[in-house]
């Protein structure tokens, strides 16, 4: 007998799970075709490898994976069969679908790392999966960060006591990715960075030879990612990766491979790549198409032959020597269990919907109005009704009863009002932190100045702020291009690597996307990263990761996960096409879920760092490129004072025109305001300070009530951030009612800024332009007092 009794039991339990998971995939597909779910993507064909991987996934470990990983999630007991079906139906209840509360399509897994108060749980006592996202390979940057955290926890003695987050950095960050997705740039960027950093990242490639319909030869050099990456293989003298290959249907080899991979990764902190080949996709890519269209008969026959469950069954019979009848019984029981779970999940999903349907149909029935009864009939006839059907019926009913004062109208109204709240909670909550540590709740501490306060270069205010932060909180780290040795290109961290060590203040390679990912992963694990993107112009390299991953992490997990990191960058005017950009509209429109802070000087910036480092929200802080050498008075409490978010500052009080601006434009506008004053025009200049959130107490509205004229000035393209500010003030704050003149925007040109002083002057708003545009508003009011500057007399 080759296998002990206990081992045989384990093998059979693994087999049972694989079969149950497969059955869940088969049922899932049917549910979509019956119209009970909108779309389905499943983990069939990948079951056995995932079970093998789960054997080495321990408490405290982390996963960043993709939509094929259902079996793994079942195997680590972080997904029940009911929860799996609940997500397929989009059940908007966090108990039913803890990964996303119905916000994500099926196959997107996540564990709840936060408690109900939004505080981190003891991560080392849990098996943790970061929240999946759909863009291929987009899990890679975050994966790198989660692995990087282990390195810091192991190597930095100051972190030894944070045993809720890590036990000596022993945790592995497990990644999974499809073969075709390895073509993405961010895959290569993350692989290279992991090799450089030497972090415990174990990436498994589920290779089924296809990416939807496209075969391997279109994706990968040499048609094999492990061959293509063989130069990364470590040697006796050079650090690198350990690269292992194994077949996806070979249970025993998979178990052995993962045991080996774990040892190297966990003990030595060497990144490991496990290339799992010869996987299949029995049902094709997703419910959106059939693979018979693009796979040859031979390929389909090969897949049937190499199905991992079929192979495992054969192996159990031939090598483990279990009778086929016993296996048949296990299969039957597993399939039955999956069917029962589907049943339970569907009933649970329908309960609220049916309850509401009953309530509405009762109200509608009591009206005895023929048209309303028709609406009721339609509602009751709906096949597979969802919440929107109830809301629609109630709204139609309300419309039909608009002329009555009936009790039913009042009841519909009450139901709809409540439903609006409930549906807000279901579909729109948790974009930002709702915990006690929300950035909006950080205590405001004013900067303190005394006779000892010195006047210094702006960069020195920042440096002092970072120095205090690093001294205060060992979880705070800073990294980016040139941040370490020289303390960033503008010396905000000058000397701080020497003082706090290379693990706290660190240089990175030139790789904006994974710099951000490094921050996201580390922040998920409880560290407090300040990740630097050297210039705002290069922010675009990281924008996808910021938008798809960081901005929606808290939202897509409905408050189950957070990554309180700061993206530090510098922008606005300096020189030329790639060192003077201010693509703020792009940022505002793609990063809801991250606070966007635009300090006009380094003192305000320091105040924002102090605020954000005490909160659990993520933020982008954009410093003014041309402000590092300007003189500022350093607050005595430079590490303690905070600047509140969403609170504009009135830089100059005035009565004729309100000019709303931010960042480097503040100086330009202030210069113009000075000149306008000489011409008899009094400007109120408002620095909004933060664009997200925007003026939460409606300071600008108060100003417009006084001046009746408003200008929005910024450096972005026309229709960019200036349009955003205008919408906020005119529509959201209702300022339109107080206007006596057309509101205007003053913006940069549509093109990128040209080089040198003249390029800047003619590409970006300049003081003369601001003067003339504001003056023209006053000329319209009173052409005698303010004669047209360009009039032809
Ligand atoms: C950035 C991006 N481009 C395209 C898609 C659409 N898409 C979803 S899965 C997929 C194929 C992925 O193939 P592979 O990585 O081999 O994983 P598999 O589904 O085969 O397991 C594509 C193109 C996407 N989700 N994201
Ligand atoms: Mg594939």
């Amino acid at each position: 007998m080759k296998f002990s009794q206990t081992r045989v039991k384990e093998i059979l339990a693994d087999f049972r799970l694989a079969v149950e998971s497969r059955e869940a995939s088969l049922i899932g597909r049917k549910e979509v075709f019956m119209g009970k779910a909108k779309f389905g993507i499943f983990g069939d064909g990948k079951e056995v490898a995932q079970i093998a991987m789960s054997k080495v996934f321990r408490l405290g470990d982390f996963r960043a994976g993709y939509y094929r990983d259902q079996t793994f999630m079942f195997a680590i007991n972080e997904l029940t069969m009911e929860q799996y079906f609940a997500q397929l139906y989009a059940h908007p209840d966090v108990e039913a679908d803890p990964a996303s509360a119905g916000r994500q399509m099926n196959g997107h897994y996540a564990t709840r790392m936060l408690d109900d108060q939004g505080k981190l749980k003891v991560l080392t006592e849990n098996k943790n999966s970061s929240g999946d996202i759909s863009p291929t390979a987009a899990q890679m940057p975050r994966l790198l960060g989660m692995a990087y955290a282990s390195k810091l926890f192991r190597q930095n003695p100051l972190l030894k006591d944070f045993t809720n987050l890590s036990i000596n950095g022993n945790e592995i960050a497990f990644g999974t990715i499809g073969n075709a997705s390895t073509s993405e740039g961010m895959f290569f960027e993350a692989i290279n960075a992991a090799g450089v950093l030497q972090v415990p990242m174990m990436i498994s490639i589920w290779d089924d030879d296809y990416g939807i319909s496209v075969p391997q030869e279109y994706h990968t050099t040499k048609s094999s990612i492990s061959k293509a990456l063989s130069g990364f293989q470590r040697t006796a003298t050079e650090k690198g990766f350990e690269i292992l290959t194994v077949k996806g249907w070979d249970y025993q080899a998979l178990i052995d491979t993962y045991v080996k991979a774990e040892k190297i990764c966990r003990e030595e902190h060497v990144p490991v790549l496990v290339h799992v080949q010869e996987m299949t996709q029995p049902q094709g890519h997703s419910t959106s198409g059939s693979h018979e269209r693009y796979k040859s008969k031979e390929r389909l026959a090969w897949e049937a032959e190499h199905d991992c469950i079929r192979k495992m069954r054969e192996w159990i019979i031939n090598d483990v020597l279990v009778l086929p009848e016993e296996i048949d019984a296990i299969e039957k029981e597993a399939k039955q269990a999956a069917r029962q779970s589907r049943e339970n999940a569907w009933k649970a999903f329908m309960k609220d919907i049916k309850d509401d349907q009953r309530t509405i149909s009762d109200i509608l029935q009591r009206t005895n109005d023929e048209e309303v009864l028709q609406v009721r009939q339609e509602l009751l006839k709906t096949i597979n009704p969802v919440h929107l059907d109830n809301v629609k019926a109630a709204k139609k009913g309300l419309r039909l009863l608009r002329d009555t004062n009936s009790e039913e109208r009042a009841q519909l109204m009450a139901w709809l009002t409540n439903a609006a709240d409930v549906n807000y909670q279901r579909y729109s909550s948790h974009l930002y932190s709702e915990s006690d540590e929300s950035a909006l709740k950080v205590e405001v501490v004013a900067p303190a100045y005394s006779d000892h306060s010195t006047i210094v270069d702006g960069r020195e205010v920042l440096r002092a702020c970072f120095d205090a932060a690093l001294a205060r909180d060992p979880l705070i780290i800073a990294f980016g291009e040139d941040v370490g040795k020289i303390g960033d290109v503008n010396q905000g961290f000058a000397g701080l690597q020497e003082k706090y060590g290379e693990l706290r203040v660190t240089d990175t390679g030139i790789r904006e996307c994974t710099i951000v990912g490094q921050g996201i992963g580390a922040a998920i694990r409880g560290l407090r990263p300040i990740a630097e993107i050297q210039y705002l112009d290069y922010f675009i390299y990281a924008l996808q990761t910021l938008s798809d991953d960081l901005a929606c992490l808290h939202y897509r997990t409905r408050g189950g996960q957070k990554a309180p990191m700061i993206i530090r960058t510098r922008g606005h005017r300096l020189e030329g096409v790639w060192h003077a950009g201010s693509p703020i509209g792009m940022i505002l429109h793609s990063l809801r879920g991250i606070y966007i802070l635009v300090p006009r000087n380094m003192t305000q910036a320091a105040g924002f760092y102090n605020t954000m480092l005490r909160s659990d929200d993520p933020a982008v802080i954009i410093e003014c490129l041309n402000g590092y050498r300007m003189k500022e008075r350093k607050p005595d409490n430079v590490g303690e004072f905070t600047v509140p978010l969403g609170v504009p500052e009135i830089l100059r009080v005035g009565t004729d025109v309100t000019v709303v601006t931010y960042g480097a434009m503040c100086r330009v506008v202030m210069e113009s305001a000075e000149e306008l004053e000489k011409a008899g025009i009094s400007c109120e200049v408002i620095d909004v300070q933060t664009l997200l959130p925007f003026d939460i107490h409606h300071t600008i509205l108060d100003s417009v009530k006084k001046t009746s004229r408003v200008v929005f000035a910024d450096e972005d393209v026309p229709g960019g951030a200036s349009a955003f500010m205008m919408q906020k003030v005119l529509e959201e704050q209702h300022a339109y009612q107080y206007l006596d003149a057309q509101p205007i925007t003053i913006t940069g040109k549509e093109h990128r800024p040209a080089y040198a002083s003249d390029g800047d002057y003619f590409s970006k708003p300049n003081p003369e332009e601001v003067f003339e545009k504001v003056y023209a508003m006053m000329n319209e009011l009173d052409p005698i007092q303010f004669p047209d500057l360009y009039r032809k007399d």
Side-chain angles (χ1 to χ4, degrees):
M1 187 83 165
K2 276 199 282 187
F3 299 91
S4 71
Q5 286 279 29
T6 347
R7 185 70 195 120
V8 173
K9 259 194 178 157
E10 274 171 17
I11 293 167
L12 292 179
D14 289 348
F15 179 72
R16 188 194 177 288
L17 175 60
V19 172
E20 192 176 343
S21 181
R22 174 66 59 88
E23 187 66 11
S25 300
L26 300 174
I27 298 172
R29 190 174 171 84
K30 281 192 204 128
E31 293 298 273
V32 175
F33 291 137
M34 285 167 66
K36 290 180 171 170
K38 302 218 67 165
F39 172 79
I41 192 155
F42 307 105
D44 48 314
K46 320 280 191 289
E47 292 91 346
V48 174
Q50 292 182 19
I51 289 172
M53 185 170 97
S54 77
K55 305 280 177 199
V56 298
F57 191 91
R58 320 239 170 242
L59 290 178
D61 282 345
F62 287 81
R63 163 188 173 276
Y66 80 118
Y67 50 78
R68 297 280 180 223
D69 289 347
Q70 67 192 52
T71 313
F72 173 78
M73 295 304 293
F74 291 138
I76 62 165
N77 285 322
E78 287 299 332
L79 178 72
T80 67
M81 207 50 76
E82 276 86 0
Q83 290 165 350
Y84 163 88
F85 283 113
Q87 193 179 47
L88 185 71
Y89 301 136
H91 192 156
D93 178 312
V94 83
E95 306 290 328
D97 168 23
S100 74
R103 291 177 181 192
Q104 289 233 63
M105 66 169 45
N106 86 311
H108 289 66
Y109 304 108
T111 55
R112 298 201 75 74
M113 299 186 198
L114 306 182
D115 64 21
D116 292 344
Q117 270 69 52
K119 295 242 187 305
L120 265 189
K121 293 179 181 170
V122 179
L123 298 179
T124 42
E125 288 174 2
N126 290 310
K127 295 189 172 176
N128 307 290
S129 170
S130 57
D132 290 353
I133 57 180
S134 299
T136 47
Q139 67 273 34
M140 295 298 298
R142 166 172 21 100
L143 174 67
L144 175 75
M146 297 196 306
Y148 181 62
S150 285
K151 174 174 172 160
L152 298 179
F153 282 116
R154 184 170 290 182
Q155 295 188 7
N156 181 356
L158 294 177
L159 300 177
K160 287 282 174 277
D161 292 340
F162 291 89
T163 51
N164 54 329
L165 304 177
S166 171
I167 309 290
N168 192 36
N170 290 341
E171 304 78 20
I172 291 177
F174 286 77
T176 66
I177 188 169
N179 56 297
S181 303
T182 64
S183 306
E184 296 281 11
M186 52 181 59
F187 172 79
F188 285 91
E189 191 178 311
I191 290 288
N192 178 55
V196 168
L197 292 169
Q198 289 293 293
V199 289
M201 173 173 123
M202 190 198 295
I203 176 79
S204 294
I205 292 144
W206 305 149
D207 189 347
D208 55 16
D209 283 305
Y210 284 83
I212 310 188
S213 66
V214 182
Q216 201 78 285
E217 56 264 34
Y218 285 86
H219 296 295
T220 308
T221 305
K222 303 186 182 181
S223 287
S224 161
I225 193 66
S226 51
K227 271 193 204 165
L229 292 180
S230 57
F232 281 76
Q233 172 66 49
R234 66 176 176 159
T235 66
T237 53
E238 288 171 318
K239 289 181 175 170
F241 264 77
E242 190 60 46
I243 298 178
L244 306 171
T245 58
V246 60
K247 295 189 184 350
W249 46 262
D250 189 341
Y251 174 78
Q252 190 57 55
L254 282 160
I255 297 273
D256 296 343
T257 302
Y258 277 104
V259 168
K260 184 173 172 194
E262 181 198 18
K263 202 170 159 49
I264 297 166
C265 199
R266 202 181 296 281
E267 291 175 13
E268 298 179 51
H269 272 200
V270 166
V272 179
L273 184 142
V274 184
H275 184 188
V276 183
Q277 298 163 313
E278 299 195 10
M279 288 186 135
T280 69
Q281 220 170 65
Q283 301 192 107
H285 178 76
S286 72
T287 52
S288 298
S290 104
H291 61 159
E292 283 82 7
R293 279 185 305 156
Y294 51 80
K295 285 180 187 161
S296 68
K297 276 206 180 72
E298 294 71 32
R299 171 71 196 187
L300 289 167
W302 181 90
E303 288 204 15
E305 173 81 9
H306 291 80
D307 184 297
C308 61
I309 294 184
R310 175 173 171 171
K311 283 276 188 197
M312 187 174 178
R313 185 188 153 105
E314 286 168 8
W315 175 77
I316 296 175
I317 294 171
N318 296 333
D319 284 43
V320 189
L321 305 176
V322 177
L323 292 173
E325 300 82 74
E326 197 180 329
I327 301 180
D328 290 344
I330 291 172
E331 282 185 349
K332 198 170 159 204
E333 191 214 351
K335 289 179 184 177
Q336 180 50 34
R339 284 195 283 269
Q340 186 58 51
S341 301
R342 185 216 68 84
E343 184 88 16
N344 300 347
W346 178 252
K347 272 202 190 124
F349 170 60
M350 288 308 290
K351 184 169 182 315
D352 287 349
I353 298 170
K354 290 267 174 167
D355 286 352
D356 282 350
Q357 195 187 56
R358 220 167 290 122
T359 307
I360 291 160
S361 103
D362 287 352
I363 302 174
L364 297 179
Q365 189 169 32
R366 286 197 292 276
T367 62
N368 275 329
D369 175 296
E370 208 166 299
E371 270 185 293
V372 176
L373 291 177
Q374 186 66 30
V375 172
R376 176 178 179 268
Q377 279 311 316
E378 273 167 32
L379 175 64
L380 294 178
K381 271 198 321 224
T382 315
I383 299 166
N384 300 327
V386 286
H387 291 296
L388 72 88
D389 295 301
N390 293 328
V391 168
K392 275 182 167 222
K395 291 197 169 192
K396 279 185 189 166
L398 187 76
R399 290 203 297 258
L400 291 168
L401 298 173
R402 66 186 180 277
D403 292 332
T404 75
N405 281 328
S406 63
E407 206 170 297
E408 289 75 34
R409 196 180 78 87
Q411 287 166 344
L412 285 177
M413 215 162 63
W415 185 87
L416 279 166
T417 310
N418 182 55
D421 285 348
V422 171
N423 287 321
Y424 179 88
Q425 283 303 320
R426 281 180 183 143
Y427 302 109
S428 301
S429 71
H430 294 89
L431 182 56
Y432 296 94
S433 169
E434 298 182 6
S435 82
D436 289 345
E437 293 168 61
S438 152
L440 305 183
K441 295 184 189 157
V442 172
E443 192 194 343
V444 182
V445 178
Y449 297 99
S450 66
D451 296 345
H452 310 292
S453 311
T454 46
I455 307 242
V456 296
D457 281 354
R459 66 182 173 80
E460 291 179 51
V461 177
L462 271 185
R463 186 194 171 282
C465 157
F466 292 141
D467 190 2
L470 288 160
R472 180 178 70 241
D473 184 350
L475 293 169
I476 294 175
I477 49 173
F479 50 81
E481 298 152 18
D482 302 290
V483 168
K485 197 166 177 66
I486 64 165
D488 91 50
V489 287
N490 295 96
Q491 295 174 30
F493 280 98
L496 298 182
Q497 182 180 73
E498 250 167 46
K499 189 165 174 185
Y500 296 99
E502 212 191 324
L503 292 169
R504 310 267 324 265
V505 182
T506 315
D507 285 320
T508 66
I510 304 172
R511 47 178 180 79
E512 287 75 11
C513 158
T514 51
I515 288 173
V516 164
Q518 204 169 322
I520 299 173
I524 286 177
R525 293 195 56 185
L527 290 159
R528 302 302 314 249
I530 301 171
E532 178 169 316
I533 302 297
Q534 198 160 70
Y535 296 100
L536 187 55
D537 305 77
Y538 309 129
F539 196 81
I540 302 178
Y541 275 69
L543 190 66
Q544 188 266 332
T545 296
L546 287 166
S547 180
D548 285 326
D549 200 357
L550 181 62
C552 72
L553 176 70
H554 197 247
Y555 172 80
R556 72 177 186 265
T557 57
R558 200 183 183 281
Q561 297 181 11
K562 62 182 173 184
M565 69 177 292
I566 296 174
I567 298 92
R568 177 187 186 215
T569 186
R570 48 186 75 84
H572 312 311
R573 54 212 313 155
L574 192 71
E575 300 292 353
V577 177
W578 284 284
H579 296 85
S582 204
I584 306 292
M586 173 187 85
I587 291 170
L588 288 173
H589 296 148
S590 54
L591 299 186
R592 304 297 163 96
I594 302 176
Y595 287 129
I596 309 296
L597 318 184
V598 283
R600 69 179 176 278
N601 61 28
M602 301 309 153
T603 307
Q604 298 309 99
F608 283 142
Y609 285 108
N610 289 336
T611 303
M612 294 315 305
L613 289 170
R614 287 163 175 83
S615 98
D616 65 355
D617 276 298
V620 174
I621 300 182
I622 303 169
E623 297 162 15
C624 292
L625 253 175
N626 60 5
Y628 294 103
R629 291 186 187 281
M630 300 221 177
K631 297 292 177 197
E632 295 184 32
R633 197 157 171 225
K634 187 171 85 178
D636 300 344
N637 55 351
V638 70
E640 305 303 320
F641 82 99
T642 58
V643 175
L645 272 54
V647 181
E649 197 172 316
I650 299 174
L651 301 183
R652 184 185 172 105
V653 176
T655 50
D656 294 326
V657 181
T658 301
V659 186
V660 180
T661 192
Y662 61 87
M665 275 296 288
C666 288
R667 268 195 298 274
V668 175
V669 171
M670 286 299 274
E671 190 181 324
S672 312
E674 196 85 5
E675 292 299 311
L676 284 157
E677 190 72 50
K678 292 179 196 158
I681 297 168
S682 161
C683 290
E684 181 137 308
V685 180
I686 302 185
D687 174 9
V688 300
Q689 304 213 81
T690 67
L691 289 160
L692 296 175
F694 187 86
D695 186 15
I696 48 187
H697 305 305
H698 294 191
T699 307
I700 302 169
L701 176 67
D702 288 340
S703 174
V704 174
K705 281 183 187 170
K706 185 169 64 171
T707 61
S708 316
R709 276 172 204 79
V710 66
V711 176
F712 300 92
D714 90 326
E715 298 181 38
D716 196 5
V717 293
S722 55
F724 166 82
M725 296 194 288
M726 191 191 264
Q727 182 263 339
K728 285 279 178 192
V729 174
L730 296 198
E731 189 185 29
E732 228 175 82
Q733 302 190 2
H734 304 288
Y736 71 96
Q737 332 172 42
Y738 303 96
L739 291 180
D740 287 341
Q742 183 196 323
I744 64 165
T745 62
I746 300 177
T747 69
K749 296 281 194 294
E750 293 206 337
H751 53 75
R752 302 283 182 104
Y755 184 52
S757 301
D758 279 346
D760 173 72
Y761 188 87
F762 293 107
S763 304
K764 299 262 185 168
N766 57 58
E768 283 64 46
E769 185 184 354
V770 175
F771 181 99
E772 292 188 358
K773 289 205 162 140
V774 172
Y775 185 89
M777 283 177 116
M778 298 306 287
N779 159 259
E780 192 190 303
L781 172 74
D782 186 348
I784 313 281
Q785 193 185 347
F786 306 106
D788 183 357
L789 296 175
Y790 294 94
R791 72 184 177 282
K792 298 190 179 92
D793 291 324

